[in-house]
Amino acid sequence: GAVVSQHPSWVICKSGTSVKIECRSLDFQATTMFWYRQFPKQSLMLMATSNEGSKATYEQGVEKDKFLINHASLTLSTLTVTSAHPEDSSFYICSASRSAGTDTQYFGPGTRLTVL
Amino acid sequence: GENVEQHPSTLSVQEGDSAVIKCTYSDSASNYFPWYKQELGKRPQLIIDIRSNVGEKKDQRIAVTLNKTAKHFSLHITETQPEDSAVYFCAASKGDSWGKFQFGAGTQVVVTP
């Protein structure tokens, strides 16, 4: 149990376009989902926390208008990178928790975004 | 906020030897400490975790110890094998309604045959 999927696994887009990444919990209901960004050979940097049905909480320094997060159901959260630029190229990973505070986080396989 | 420091950044061990990775945390309210293993280009996978009401936990070749007074916890891998080669991340969480993790910087473990 506790499987998280992410789609797409990789995407290449042109500068100025928007990209949507989906994160799904396949066999459990996730009350909380997290979005991370990871640069090569670095740790996971939390971007935002989202609870189903409410607005996401963004970490300091993360632009909420650039990284739109929607947690529409207990099994789906989406991250949209708007007006992407080459500096947005990165590995984006989501995680899901059955119950924040009492359960661990289960990670998706990540999405490699390359902006040309 | 919470700050988690992880050492060493790289660790090279001979197959069959033990590996130890240490993490320290700053927020005494942290009460949940997971360890994740991440292979190149893959997702972080939970390998073991410990809560603050326990001092040690073991799962086959992997063990974690926690010293709440000193605010540090360690991952121990015994009888290392080449497939243990990966990046290992520790994390700390306050276990509150946010459930946010603060991750360490990671340790690149290389097990040589």
Side-chain angles (χ1 to χ4, degrees):
Chain A
V3 179
V4 177
S5 71
Q6 227 176 298
H7 178 81
S9 55
W10 60 270
V11 57
I12 301 172
C13 70
K14 291 182 178 179
S15 190
T17 60
S18 294
V19 174
K20 180 186 280 189
I21 303 169
E22 290 187 349
C23 177
R24 292 182 186 272
S25 56
L26 299 184
D27 54 0
F28 68 101
Q29 293 187 325
T31 57
T32 308
M33 288 184 167
F34 304 85
W35 286 95
Y36 294 85
R37 188 171 176 176
Q38 188 176 34
F39 292 104
K41 297 188 177 182
Q42 292 192 24
S43 189
L44 297 121
M45 184 188 79
L46 180 66
M47 298 174 66
T49 303
S50 75
N51 291 296
E52 184 261 341
S54 58
K55 288 184 179 179
T57 302
Y58 291 81
E59 294 299 298
Q60 195 172 6
V62 178
E63 299 175 58
K64 61 178 69 176
D65 293 332
K66 179 162 189 64
F67 299 100
L68 300 178
I69 291 171
N70 183 273
H71 193 156
S73 73
L74 284 172
T75 59
L76 173 65
S77 176
T78 59
L79 167 68
T80 302
V81 183
T82 63
S83 187
H85 288 98
E87 57 265 31
D88 298 325
S89 299
S90 190
F91 194 52
Y92 292 88
I93 309 180
C94 70
S95 71
S97 174
R98 277 178 283 234
S99 176
T102 60
D103 193 25
T104 196
Q105 292 180 28
Y106 302 96
F107 284 85
T111 297
R112 173 75 56 194
L113 171 63
T114 301
V115 184
L116 302 177
Chain B
E2 175 67 278
N3 183 44
V4 176
E5 293 193 0
Q6 183 171 346
H7 297 281
S9 57
T10 59
L11 181 58
S12 184
V13 294
Q14 203 76 22
E15 183 178 358
D17 288 349
S18 295
V20 181
I21 303 170
K22 297 181 180 179
C23 287
T24 60
Y25 60 100
S26 60
D27 192 338
S28 56
S30 291
N31 59 13
Y32 176 63
F33 308 93
W35 284 90
Y36 287 87
K37 174 183 179 183
Q38 186 179 29
E39 296 177 19
L40 189 64
K42 302 283 181 66
R43 77 183 81 199
Q45 296 208 311
L46 179 72
I47 56 171
I48 197 166
D49 57 8
I50 192 167
R51 297 191 185 272
S52 58
N53 58 347
V54 176
E56 183 174 356
K57 186 176 177 180
K58 197 171 181 179
D59 182 4
Q60 298 183 339
R61 296 187 296 108
I62 295 172
V64 56
T65 58
L66 170 66
N67 184 325
K68 284 193 300 182
T69 304
K71 288 190 279 190
H72 68 69
F73 55 112
S74 299
L75 177 71
H76 304 253
I77 306 173
T78 58
E79 300 172 28
T80 53
Q81 300 166 6
E83 52 264 38
D84 294 329
S85 296
V87 178
Y88 292 80
F89 291 101
C90 65
S93 170
K94 285 193 277 193
D96 55 17
S97 58
W98 296 108
K100 293 198 293 186
F101 286 1
Q102 182 65 47
F103 281 91
T107 297
Q108 174 75 61
V109 173
V110 177
V111 181
T112 53

